[in-house]
Amino acid sequence: MKKIMYIFFEKLKIYTINFVIFFLLVEIFLYLISYYDMRYADKETLHGDFTIVVFDDETFYPL
């Protein structure tokens, strides 16, 4: 029984370490993507246009 518990906790330790390493790599990858996007985004243009619409009875007028 002691040997089985030892094997179980050793595997649990390995899985936990892999889990932590995986999420650290994901965090670093997301940081690099956001840094790249921030650095190379065109700062002079808007990212996505939108239109404001005013309704007057049955017609609408875009502003």
Side-chain angles (χ1 to χ4, degrees):
M1 183 71 177
K2 196 172 185 180
K3 177 88 172 165
I4 294 172
M5 294 300 290
Y6 176 76
I7 293 171
F8 173 75
F9 284 113
E10 284 298 313
K11 286 186 181 252
L12 183 65
K13 185 169 67 173
I14 291 170
Y15 290 142
T16 305
I17 291 169
N18 288 339
F19 184 77
V20 169
I21 290 172
F22 171 75
F23 277 103
L24 285 175
L25 289 175
V26 167
E27 186 72 26
I28 291 169
F29 182 69
L30 289 175
Y31 175 77
L32 290 174
I33 288 175
S34 64
Y35 179 77
Y36 176 80
D37 185 50
M38 177 187 67
R39 183 148 171 94
Y40 294 104
D42 189 13
K43 294 173 179 59
E44 299 298 321
T45 61
L46 293 175
H47 298 286
D49 298 333
F50 61 93
T51 303
I52 298 175
V53 178
V54 177
F55 287 94
D56 182 23
D57 294 331
E58 298 289 323
T59 61
F60 63 93
Y61 306 101
L63 297 177

